[in-house]
Amino acid sequence: MSLFRVAIHYGVNSNGFLSYDTEAKTVSVDLPEQEWVDKVLAYLNNEHAIEHATGLDTYERLNVKPLESLDNFKLALTRMWEAIDVQVDWSRPA
């Protein structure tokens, strides 16, 4: 099993983390409230159309399935805060 873990939070002090199993292509979410766990799982289990920068002022629209690959997972995480108000804490250890 190969895990990619990242810290996440919502609100002021509601901290947790998520773990993505790169082999099984599954995710687990650890947050204090089930409602927020469900929001994150729903977001990560759905396909998203994402405008991805290919240059300074050029973009391409990608249809991203977050659990399909680690690259897709990371790309979806960069848009998660805007979509469901859960922020990734890239610099905080998970």
Side-chain angles (χ1 to χ4, degrees), residues 6-80:
V6 65
I8 57 176
H9 82 272
Y10 61 92
V12 177
N13 288 318
S14 297
N15 298 313
F17 63 90
L18 47 87
S19 302
Y20 174 66
D21 183 329
T22 59
E23 294 170 8
K25 298 184 180 190
T26 58
V27 65
S28 63
V29 179
D30 182 354
L31 286 171
E33 296 177 59
Q34 187 62 43
E35 172 189 355
W36 289 89
V37 170
D38 294 343
K39 283 182 182 186
V40 172
L41 288 173
Y43 174 77
L44 293 173
N45 278 288
N46 285 308
E47 185 173 335
H48 304 281
I50 293 176
E51 295 293 326
H52 181 64
T54 57
L56 291 175
D57 60 354
T58 56
Y59 297 86
E60 68 178 341
R61 179 176 287 268
L62 300 176
N63 290 322
V64 175
K65 294 179 182 176
L67 300 183
E68 195 170 81
S69 70
L70 182 56
D71 286 340
N72 282 3
F73 188 74
K74 288 178 179 178
L75 182 59
L77 291 180
T78 66
R79 306 317 198 271
M80 189 167 66

